[in-house]
Amino acid sequence: MSGREFREGLDMMAGKTSFTIDCGKATGIEPPSGNRRFMDCTIESIPQPNGHKPHMAVKDSQGDIVFEVGAQQTGAYRTLQRFVGQRIHRFAWEELESAYGTGTYLQCKIQADPRRSTPEGYTPIPRIVIDTETTGLDPIEDEILQLSIIDGDGNTIIDRKYKPEHTQAWPEAEQINHISPASVADRPCISTDLDEIQLILDRAIEVCVYNAEFDLAFLGELGLRMDLAKVTDTMREYGAKYHGTQYWKLENAARECGYRYHAHDSLADCHATLAVQQRLDKDSGDGSEHAAHALQTATMHTTGDHGRHGGSRKGKPVTRASYTAYSVCCWIFTALTAFVVLMCFFVPAMLIAAIPAVLLDVAFIKQRKQMKRELDARKGK
């Protein structure tokens, strides 16, 4: 799994997304072509006759339809559908030549404003902590099974389990979070609570998450919006401050902070995250301040640490297959290195090859251990 799945969910949470469509497949007051940009738009569902599915349409600030697609254009249709009824800060397209010589296509971009203030009549919440349990690691294909949110004093705001809308079974995740299909069969889908969850996000001044990239990508895929500037990634902050790495397992961090708990439950993980964040606050000298290195959107978009609560390697996240293949290569190299070292007793000149071989072998072993830690993080927090 590449980082694309996480970037898409995070972009959605930040109000940004894009899609492509062949020229001629979309309509408007003028056939969309060339390069155009529209400000202050809305996306609406346009009913169709004879029981056909409604079209998705982008209207400009004057109320004119500048871009419209039918359900046959699956990718564009589903993307626009997520923004129905919302105000769009900017909608733009660029006409590009196909690399396969099949004509031109439109690269379309949507930018909604993620900055939302506390609704009138509601008081702000200084800090919330969020955690989820899911059917897997892919925010596009997998779904949320449990969502927990607590405030900065540890009071529970939400702690609910949900029935997935599409996923029927999740045997690997079930071994970790112990949430079975039968246990959530009678629970509602999370889509029924989106308005309530969005209100909580709007009221929050600071949002603490352990490995924020993971949980926020899932929430973004649901269409929830939030300004990522108010997010604190407790994992990155703790790992960087005390261990010189962006990755540190939640259970280990909590134990180092003197907090013991039963992992793999999102509510328990929220309280563990809060304990770790409070340690960071205490050591920073001012518990009222946000942590010194608040999560930056650019970092979230460019790093490759997509395991459940962790991973400091850049690039693709570690899989069982890649770890096994790397381990086999390490064992082979270690055996060859041992052979070269042994030959030094008979041919001293072999030291020229033995010394760099030993250094490389040590580096490979360290890398394999790091990959093992990341793989363990995928099995739990």
Side-chain angles (χ1 to χ4, degrees):
M1 182 176 62
S2 70
R4 178 185 63 82
E5 291 85 353
F6 289 86
R7 285 193 297 271
E8 180 174 317
L10 290 168
D11 282 345
M12 285 291 293
M13 174 152 275
K16 299 186 295 184
T17 192
S18 63
F19 61 90
T20 60
I21 186 172
D22 291 337
C23 286
K25 299 296 185 181
T27 60
I29 50 175
E30 297 179 4
S33 62
N35 299 338
R36 295 292 304 274
R37 182 176 67 176
F38 302 90
M39 309 300 290
D40 298 324
C41 303
T42 56
I43 296 178
E44 299 181 11
S45 175
I46 308 298
Q48 299 297 302
N50 302 321
H52 293 296
K53 291 188 70 173
H55 286 188
M56 292 296 122
V58 180
K59 292 186 176 181
D60 64 14
S61 58
Q62 305 301 315
D64 295 325
I65 295 177
V66 296
F67 189 92
E68 182 176 349
V69 294
Q72 300 86 347
Q73 310 307 316
T74 311
Y77 189 89
R78 289 179 177 175
T79 301
L80 292 173
Q81 194 173 35
R82 294 173 176 176
F83 291 88
V84 168
Q86 299 183 35
R87 299 292 301 182
I88 305 301
H89 175 63
R90 181 176 64 249
F91 178 77
W93 68 70
E94 180 182 8
E95 186 173 356
L96 301 171
E97 290 285 342
S98 170
Y100 303 100
T102 56
T104 61
Y105 66 94
L106 298 178
Q107 173 76 45
C108 303
K109 297 181 179 181
I110 297 173
Q111 174 63 68
D113 190 351
R115 294 173 297 178
R116 304 167 66 105
S117 58
T118 300
E120 186 176 352
Y122 292 91
T123 56
I125 307 174
R127 168 181 283 172
I128 65 171
V129 182
I130 298 176
D131 196 86
T132 64
E133 297 297 336
T134 64
T135 62
L137 299 174
D138 188 334
I140 294 178
E141 299 296 332
D142 290 306
E143 301 179 69
I144 293 176
L145 293 170
Q146 183 182 11
L147 172 68
S148 299
I149 304 176
I150 64 175
D151 65 19
D153 295 322
N155 301 309
T156 301
I157 301 175
I158 280 184
D159 178 36
R160 296 172 191 164
K161 292 181 179 178
Y162 297 102
K163 176 177 66 177
E165 294 190 33
H166 312 292
T167 311
Q168 301 300 317
W170 45 94
E172 293 184 5
E174 183 180 347
Q175 291 180 4
I176 298 169
N177 56 40
H178 306 296
I179 301 176
S180 67
S183 68
V184 294
D186 296 328
R187 300 297 179 98
C189 297
I190 194 171
S191 56
T192 62
D193 287 345
L194 292 184
D195 289 343
E196 181 181 358
I197 298 168
Q198 183 63 68
L199 177 60
I200 295 169
L201 297 179
D202 292 345
R203 294 174 61 193
I205 304 301
E206 180 190 20
V207 179
C208 296
V209 197
Y210 207 91
N211 193 12
E213 188 173 61
F214 182 90
D215 299 276
L216 298 188
F218 274 88
L219 296 176
E221 286 292 335
L222 294 172
L224 295 167
R225 300 283 178 270
M226 183 173 63
D227 185 357
L228 297 181
K230 65 182 183 180
V231 175
T232 296
D233 191 327
T234 303
M235 179 190 73
R236 295 180 189 274
E237 303 227 355
Y238 186 88
K241 185 174 181 67
Y242 301 107
H243 299 284
T245 177
Q246 293 190 53
Y247 161 73
W248 202 252
K249 202 172 182 180
L250 178 56
E251 282 183 276
N252 293 340
R255 183 168 57 252
E256 292 168 358
C257 295
Y259 185 85
R260 304 280 179 171
Y261 77 109
H262 178 68
H264 315 311
D265 172 86
S266 61
L267 182 60
D269 290 336
C270 276
H271 286 286
T273 299
L274 179 60
V276 174
Q277 186 60 52
Q278 288 174 337
R279 163 74 180 277
L280 283 165
D281 295 342
K282 179 180 178 181
D283 288 354
S284 72
D286 186 351
S288 67
E289 292 183 359
H290 292 180
H293 304 289
L295 176 68
Q296 298 297 318
T297 305
T299 300
M300 295 172 63
H301 284 204
T302 56
T303 55
D305 347 352
H306 304 310
R308 185 64 180 104
H309 282 185
S312 61
R313 292 177 68 251
K314 294 185 178 181
K316 294 183 179 180
V318 176
T319 63
R320 171 61 66 180
S322 64
Y323 171 73
T324 301
Y326 191 87
S327 296
V328 170
C329 292
C330 280
W331 294 331
I332 294 173
F333 189 82
T334 299
L336 292 174
T337 300
F339 176 76
V340 172
V341 172
L342 181 63
M343 289 298 296
C344 290
F345 290 98
F346 303 99
V347 185
M350 289 292 289
L351 277 171
I352 297 175
I355 293 174
V358 170
L359 293 176
L360 282 173
D361 194 40
V362 171
F364 289 156
I365 290 173
K366 287 182 178 179
Q367 179 62 28
R368 185 171 67 87
K369 290 180 178 179
Q370 174 64 19
M371 293 175 71
K372 182 63 165 62
R373 286 196 294 267
E374 289 191 40
L375 195 63
D376 288 342
R378 290 177 171 278
K379 297 177 181 179
K381 300 177 180 128

